[in-house]
Amino acid sequence: MRCAESLRVQAYFDGEVDAVSAVEIERHAEHCGECRTLLKDLEQVRAALRRSAAYAHASPALRTSISRALDQDGAAPVQDMRERDIRGPAAPTRRIRPFWLGALAGVGASAVAVACAFLLVLPRLGNPLIDELASAHVRSLMPAHLIDVVSTDRHTVKPWFAGHTDVSPVVADFEPQGFRLMGGRADYLDRQRSAVVVYQHGAHVINVFSWAGDGRGLPADVSRNGYHFVFWKSGNLDYCAVSDTARDELLSLVRLLQDLGARDRGE
Ligand SMILES: [Zn+2]
């Protein structure tokens, strides 16, 4: 009999699932021998294909012109950052220009390239939660990782979180104030399915993470490597806004969200 998860396992192997699903599938495979075998078989097939494939090396000039063309097209070659230990190393993948990239007027391939470079040199920031947030923010800037549900309508984004995350954060579009709601995403943070509301501010992306607070104190706000991390509590949720936009601008959005949270709770 075939395990009901086998299709999802194959999608996972092909790097086609979001981060939250990837974690779920890895957990499943830990306990399901059938799916572990499936992953092993897929890996063997891939390795065999790689061994038998003929490779020709491109000249440096050709590489440069291809890179330039990709940069101009808004799609940079990136390593799939969802590679997990269970899959072993894989060849770099190229993704087709994701449709939402068009929505990111001014946030081009250069930002993605900078994000990739930043991730490679990302120093540990001393606090595991901040490390997690920094990695999640940078990962989100890579093609096809930013948004799971694309919408400028809070009435679309908020219900989506109910089905895909463990929390229900405040969501609103603040376009008149310069913070356009782009959509939402599920992310795995602090061992839970956190909700991320994504805003665009000029050429910058702002990720607003939220997760169920456990009563521990939040880290103090920090700015590292050009990224600002602003923490606050609202209701029973912990929030962190992360962006490379100016800190004052980020604080403006945080105040809007805090006010909205207080209004929602009838304060
Ligand atoms: Zn299974």
Side-chain angles (χ1 to χ4, degrees):
M1 205 187 106
R2 205 134 196 234
C3 174
E5 288 289 298
S6 61
L7 277 180
R8 285 219 311 158
V9 168
Q10 289 180 46
Y12 162 84
F13 183 81
D14 291 331
E16 291 165 353
V17 299
D18 61 46
V20 171
S21 301
V23 172
E24 286 169 1
I25 292 163
E26 284 168 16
R27 283 203 184 141
H28 169 79
E30 279 172 21
H31 303 290
C32 175
E34 194 184 324
C35 287
R36 266 203 313 281
T37 306
L38 174 61
L39 281 168
K40 211 179 285 169
D41 290 349
L42 288 168
E43 188 53 62
Q44 278 170 3
V45 170
R46 178 148 72 186
L49 283 172
R50 286 223 181 99
R51 272 197 304 275
S52 57
Y55 285 98
H57 287 281
S59 69
L62 180 58
R63 280 172 199 237
T64 307
S65 65
I66 290 173
S67 296
R68 203 171 291 144
L70 283 169
D71 281 348
Q72 280 163 4
D73 195 40
V78 296
Q79 182 87 25
D80 187 345
M81 299 312 292
R82 283 182 192 154
E83 296 298 338
R84 304 269 168 173
D85 293 345
I86 198 167
R87 296 171 56 179
T93 56
R94 275 211 178 88
R95 289 182 181 278
I96 295 164
R97 178 189 176 103
F99 68 98
W100 54 261
L101 211 56
L104 271 168
V107 184
S110 56
V112 173
V114 168
C116 294
F118 179 74
L119 188 66
L120 297 175
V121 299
L122 194 69
R124 309 295 288 174
L125 297 178
N127 181 309
L129 180 59
I130 296 175
D131 287 337
E132 269 191 80
L133 286 161
S135 299
H137 178 74
V138 171
R139 191 171 56 233
S140 79
L141 300 179
M142 294 178 184
H145 287 62
L146 184 63
I147 296 174
D148 290 334
V149 55
V150 179
S151 177
T152 57
D153 182 0
R154 65 176 294 198
H155 300 295
T156 304
V157 178
K158 199 160 168 89
W160 185 88
F161 282 135
H164 294 83
T165 73
D166 299 328
V167 292
S168 177
V170 289
V171 181
D173 180 37
F174 298 110
E175 178 147 34
Q177 294 93 338
F179 302 97
R180 192 165 74 92
L181 177 64
M182 297 178 69
R185 180 176 83 246
D187 223 321
Y188 203 69
L189 184 73
D190 203 21
R191 295 184 196 160
Q192 54 182 295
R193 297 189 303 171
S194 69
V196 190
V197 186
V198 184
Y199 292 93
Q200 181 186 359
H201 180 63
H204 303 273
V205 169
I206 301 174
N207 276 308
V208 178
F209 295 84
S210 55
W211 62 98
D214 59 2
R216 280 182 305 180
L218 283 169
D221 296 351
V222 287
S223 299
R224 300 279 165 83
N225 300 83
Y227 287 76
H228 306 292
F229 302 76
V230 178
F231 293 90
W232 74 100
K233 280 182 185 294
S234 184
N236 55 1
L237 296 187
D238 289 346
Y239 287 84
C240 180
V242 185
S243 183
D244 63 349
T245 190
R247 189 163 179 279
D248 286 351
E249 308 276 305
L250 191 59
L251 287 171
S252 306
L253 174 63
V254 169
R255 270 190 294 275
L256 290 167
L257 289 166
Q258 287 172 331
D259 290 349
L260 180 66
R263 273 204 304 282
D264 279 2
R265 291 194 306 278
E267 287 169 13

